[in-house]
Each structure stands twice: as structure tokens, then as C-alpha cells.
Amino acid sequence: MYLATVFIKLTGSHPDHKQQVKEHLPELAEMEGDDCSFPPDSADDHSQRGSVASSATLSRAQDVLIYVFGDSAVHLSVEGLGSVTVQELGRSVREALHIPEFAQEAFAFWLCSPLLDLQLKARHQPYKLCRQWQDLLYRFTLASEEDISQDEPYLQFRRNVFYPKSKELQINDEGVLRLLYEEARNNILSGRYPCDPEHWMALGALSLALDEGTGLDSQQFTTTIREKKLSSFLPAHVTIGSGGLLSTLRGKSSRQAGLEQNLLEAYRKISTSAGNSPEPTQLLHQYLNTCHTLPYYGCAFFLGEIDKPAQGILQRGKRKAVNVGICLEGVYVMDVKEKHVLLGLRFNELSWDHSYPEEEGDSHILWLEFDGEEDGTPVNKLLKIYSKQAELMSGFIEFCVELKSASEGGAAADVDGEVSLSQQSAGQDGRNKNGRGGRRGMLQRQSSVVCSRVHSLNTISYVDNGKEIKRLKPKRAASFFTRQASAPTYSAVQVAEGLEQG
């Protein structure tokens, strides 16, 4: 029906999630408080969604598809589509997918398109948000008017960004694990979750074992890989290679053969260790446990740009695209092209702020402040992230900090407990060395794609008197430190008297 296509994209195949390195807008309501105010529900000059369905049509049962990862969808017949809430839809979807009660909080509804992703709250009404979709695109993306006019959102049931990894580890239901696995697998294959070769090879072998079992011999393995393609098991940027069109066919063939051989060896290790018929839940747990070692697993992602380091007069003013992942644990800035981490910071290692454009043509900026060194001297560093979603990222960080702080002392305080303990130990070592907030030992391991590459960032460095940050005009988020449940290890900068405060 026409109404259903307005609400959700129903025709065609499942959307290509490899394209979803676009702008992302998770939990917009969290930024604006409980009484969130979306753009007004009106048909303004640039709204081109067509005629609005009558109340009589809205009251009748309508066919709706809710997508899940893995090229499948839940088909529902919904009455009163115009006013149905996420909470009401959730009961039907969880029943259709047989989601047990203990795992209900693991998933949330997202309104998605190639241009924007939005995690919805229980009270939200998806149909009304769809009617405001173009307003949201104009406000929070850089898409052209033509792209905005043609963009259609769809509803997706996927992982809740606020669900702790510690609770996920306790899940044993195969159906739930399968849903989490399909989403994680998509993020690995698309390169959204950067990982090292030993990780993506092991994950590819686990995917093959889950799809085909662990009993394939060499010939069957080769036949399966040729039929399904290596890109079904290994990240796209790995299978394509770095040579592109300049690579010779012989070079490509050699690379493919090497990847196939390495994948076969990883697959054989699984067959040897797990036996010929391991339980699917065992393999699913192995896959997710490996993903949990990636600090940005479960992050909400935003698209932004950062300044490239100046390399002569001609190289000044250029920027590179980055993905900014934010979760309950910290903030991670990743190079979209190179598929590696540029900067990863836990919340106790950073301060942040958001500034609005001062003149027409300027950008919204998310500022990240962290400890660093210049020629052996301790300094504070500022990284500028240009993005129309900078305000959303700032609000999202604030909400994550408050949520994590409120959960400390309770069951949720165990999230990544082992990592936190090792982090604390590393921080103590760092403070003994330079008297400032601790730094993660991982930051020194530059060979891994998971590690920060602070040396490759174009940052503003300054010392404690603040004299070199006059360009930062909004009030710095010093109040961030007052929201910490325990005394911060970070050494706050004393602002000079002449520094402008917002």
C-alpha cells in the first residue's frame, strides 16, 4: 500500500548496509531531554513526501515490514498506524522473533536510510517521524536537495546502543545470538569495526563454519568460497586490496589464493578444536566474544571530518572523512578510508565541547581534549571534528557519561570490568611517569588498527595557562568532571583570565 511505502521502504531487496557509513543519528531524544522536540510536523517548502493519508486510512490495518540484519524482515499487520508507538510495535516484533523476556532490552527500533540512522525511544511514533524525515535530513546531514527528496526511511530492529556488553555475554538463546551475530558480521565486513588480520580471518572462518558446518574438506571449501565469494566472509577492503585498477590480474589472483589458503587454515583450526558438530551457540559465542575485544563494539556511529596535517602550502586546508563511534565506554575516531583507529579515549581521559558556526559557511565542531606530549613536555591537545551532527555527538557523550555514572555501584558497573581494571593499572603507571592522567598502554602499540594514531592527527596543543586556545570561544566543558562518580585522574586546565567564556 502507498501508506506502507511512506512509512517503511517495502519494495526491493534488503538495503545495502555497506553504504551505511553515512551520517548517523542515534537517540536524538537523549540530547534534548525527556520532552524532545522534533522539527514541526508540517509540509514546508522542501517537503515532497506527497499526499497525507486520511485518518480513515490510517485507522485500517496496514502491512508493515520491520527489517533485521541477515536479509530478512518481520511482516506485521498494524492497525492505527498513524499513532502506533515503538513500544506497541515492540511487543509484536519480539513475539514474532521469539525474543525471551530477559533479552528484550538488547534490541531497539531504528529508523534508517542511507543518509541517516535514528534509534527510537519507546514513546516515539515511527509514522510521524517519517513525515518529518526530510526536515531531519536538512538539519543533520549535508545531503543534496535531490538526495533528500528521494530518501525513504525504513524501520529496523537491531542492537540497543545502551545495552551493556556484560549482559550480552550472558545470553544463550540461539535466536538472539543469531541476531546479534548478523549485525556484528555486517559491521566487520563493511569495515565499520576495524580489526587486525588475525581477527578478521578468525571471524571469517567462524562465519563459514556457521553457514556450512565444520566438516568441509579442501575441495568442498574451495567450491563454497568460489560460489559465495570471499567478500561473504572477509572485509570488503581486504578482498579488494589496495592496488585497485592498477593491480594486475595475476596479482589479484595471487592475493585471492593467499586469502583462501589462510581462511582454510583458520577454518581447520575451528574444526579441530570444536569437533565435527559443535553447537551453533558455541560458534556464535566465539564470534561475539572476539568482537567484544574491539573497544568500539556496539557504538553508535556519526560521520565527520578532521583536518589533515599540513604538508606544505598546497596541502593546507584539506580534511579527511572519519567515523566517530560513541558508546558507554568512550569515544573512537576512525579513518573511513584506511579502516583504522585514529584516536580512542575512555571518558575519564577526555573533555569535550560543541561549538556552533559563527558565520555562514562555517561548520559545527565537536572538540575533544586529551593529554599528550610535545618534545617530551606534557601538554593538552584539542582535536576538531567538523560535523553537522556535532551537537548530537556532544549530547550523546553527555548522556552516556551520566548513564554510566548512575549505574556505578549496581549491576551495570560490571560492564567490561576486566578492561576497566587493566585500564586503571595502566593509568597508575602513567601518573607515576608524568604526574598527569593515565594513558592506555594500548596507545603505544601502533602496529594494530585498533590502536590510536595520535601522531597522525592535526591537533591544537597548549599548556596549562590556556593562552593558545583563544579560538575556542564556547565555554569548555569543565563541568564534565563534576559528573564523575569517583575523583578524576585527569588534570584540568586552568583557564587564563583573558580567555573568552561562553
Side-chain angles (χ1 to χ4, degrees):
M1 292 188 175
Y2 168 76
L3 178 60
T5 60
V6 170
F7 178 35
I8 304 166
K9 185 185 291 184
L10 294 177
T11 59
S13 60
H14 189 274
D16 184 4
H17 297 290
K18 294 181 181 179
Q19 300 297 323
Q20 292 184 6
V21 293
K22 305 275 186 173
E23 290 88 338
H24 295 267
L25 179 61
E27 283 287 352
L28 174 60
E30 303 299 358
M31 181 195 71
E32 300 174 340
D34 194 52
D35 297 324
C36 101
S37 55
F38 286 102
D41 185 9
S42 61
D44 54 16
D45 292 340
H46 55 64
S47 293
Q48 303 184 20
R49 192 161 292 284
S51 60
V52 178
S54 66
S55 58
T57 303
L58 289 173
S59 64
R60 295 198 297 265
Q62 305 290 331
D63 292 332
V64 173
L65 287 180
I66 292 103
Y67 289 100
V68 295
F69 280 97
D71 297 333
S72 60
V74 177
H75 185 186
L76 298 177
S77 181
V78 179
E79 294 185 358
L81 183 60
S83 59
V84 69
T85 65
V86 165
Q87 184 175 13
E88 294 166 338
L89 280 176
R91 287 192 288 266
S92 300
V93 172
R94 288 191 293 267
E95 181 180 350
L97 294 174
H98 307 290
I99 305 295
E101 184 176 355
F102 68 84
Q104 289 184 4
E105 295 182 359
F107 300 98
F109 284 89
W110 292 67
L111 201 57
C112 308
S113 82
L115 299 180
L116 198 63
D117 286 2
L118 166 64
Q119 178 171 320
L120 307 183
K121 301 180 73 174
R123 68 172 183 274
H124 284 152
Q125 298 173 330
Y127 175 77
K128 291 184 177 179
L129 290 182
C130 281
R131 290 187 56 199
Q132 302 170 32
W133 192 248
Q134 291 185 0
D135 301 288
L136 293 170
L137 295 180
Y138 273 101
R139 181 179 177 186
F140 295 114
T141 78
L142 294 172
S144 67
E145 184 169 348
E146 180 181 0
D147 288 340
I148 289 176
S149 67
Q150 297 177 358
D151 192 61
E152 290 284 355
Y154 59 93
L155 200 61
Q156 189 175 46
F157 190 69
R158 73 193 210 203
R159 193 184 189 280
N160 178 4
V161 71
F162 300 116
Y163 192 69
K165 288 189 285 187
S166 59
K167 289 187 177 181
E168 185 175 306
L169 291 171
Q170 301 172 15
I171 296 175
N172 291 309
D173 182 89
E174 182 178 345
V176 175
L177 291 174
R178 181 74 65 169
L179 290 174
L180 294 170
Y181 155 76
E182 291 290 354
E183 182 172 351
R185 177 185 184 180
N186 177 271
N187 287 329
I188 292 292
L189 296 181
S190 65
R192 175 174 285 180
Y193 288 169
C195 53
D196 295 316
E198 62 268 24
H199 285 143
W200 48 250
M201 192 62 71
L203 292 172
L206 285 168
S207 291
L208 179 60
L210 282 163
D211 289 353
E212 305 294 335
T214 57
L216 297 179
D217 58 28
S218 298
Q219 183 61 44
Q220 292 170 328
F221 170 88
T222 301
T223 301
T224 300
I225 293 300
R226 299 292 165 80
E227 290 177 352
K228 292 191 172 184
K229 307 295 184 183
L230 270 174
S231 57
S232 298
F233 306 103
L234 302 179
H237 66 278
V238 173
T239 58
I240 293 175
S242 59
L245 295 176
L246 299 178
S247 298
T248 62
L249 292 176
R250 182 177 181 181
K252 289 182 179 180
S253 176
S254 176
R255 177 178 175 81
Q256 294 285 316
L259 291 173
E260 288 183 15
Q261 181 61 35
N262 292 337
L263 184 61
L264 175 59
E265 293 175 1
Y267 174 77
R268 284 173 173 169
K269 290 180 181 179
I270 295 174
S271 302
T272 302
S273 60
N276 291 329
S277 56
E279 293 292 330
T281 53
Q282 179 182 351
L283 299 176
L284 292 169
H285 271 299
Q286 288 184 39
Y287 194 100
L288 292 173
N289 287 344
T290 302
C291 290
H292 284 185
T293 64
L294 304 173
Y296 30 80
Y297 173 81
C299 276
F301 289 91
F302 305 80
L303 189 67
E305 293 181 327
I306 62 174
D307 292 314
K308 287 185 176 181
Q311 297 178 348
I313 298 177
L314 297 179
Q315 293 295 326
R316 292 181 179 177
K318 292 190 175 181
R319 298 176 182 176
K320 72 166 59 178
V322 293
N323 275 333
V324 182
I326 304 173
C327 64
L328 292 174
E329 302 307 315
V331 180
Y332 302 90
V333 182
M334 291 167 266
D335 192 312
V336 170
K337 181 180 178 181
E338 300 298 332
K339 310 298 183 185
H340 59 218
V341 174
L342 295 170
L343 181 66
L345 296 168
R346 297 269 174 167
F347 289 129
N348 65 341
E349 297 175 315
L350 66 88
S351 181
W352 84 95
D353 201 4
H354 157 250
S355 60
Y356 294 89
E358 295 182 349
E359 300 178 359
E360 186 175 354
D362 289 350
S363 302
H364 287 263
I365 297 175
L366 178 72
W367 301 81
L368 297 181
E369 180 196 54
F370 56 98
D371 287 340
E373 289 186 357
E374 290 288 345
D375 298 325
T377 302
V379 298
N380 286 12
K381 288 181 174 288
L382 284 173
L383 177 67
K384 298 167 62 175
I385 302 176
Y386 306 90
S387 174
K388 289 193 75 172
Q389 296 175 9
E391 183 181 6
L392 300 173
M393 288 188 269
S394 178
F396 193 69
I397 292 172
E398 182 172 358
F399 182 77
C400 286
V401 170
E402 293 177 347
L403 186 65
K404 185 174 178 62
S405 177
S407 67
E408 288 180 355
D414 294 328
V415 179
D416 287 344
E418 294 182 3
V419 176
S420 298
L421 288 175
S422 62
Q423 185 69 18
Q424 181 179 4
S425 176
Q428 291 172 349
D429 293 340
R431 292 191 298 275
N432 292 334
K433 180 179 180 181
N434 57 24
R436 301 178 64 84
R439 302 293 299 278
R440 290 184 294 170
M442 183 182 294
L443 295 179
Q444 301 172 7
R445 294 176 51 247
Q446 299 301 324
S447 59
S448 171
V449 299
V450 179
C451 302
S452 293
R453 288 161 171 77
V454 180
H455 64 280
S456 67
L457 297 176
N458 187 0
T459 58
I460 302 171
S461 297
Y462 62 95
V463 293
D464 285 359
N465 60 19
K467 291 182 179 179
E468 298 180 34
I469 56 173
K470 292 183 179 180
R471 289 193 295 170
L472 183 58
K473 295 193 175 181
K475 182 179 179 181
R476 294 179 57 245
S479 60
F480 164 78
F481 301 108
T482 66
R483 296 195 293 266
Q484 298 300 308
S486 58
T489 60
Y490 191 93
S491 176
V493 174
Q494 301 298 321
V495 182
E497 293 182 0
L499 186 64
E500 183 176 351
Q501 295 284 312

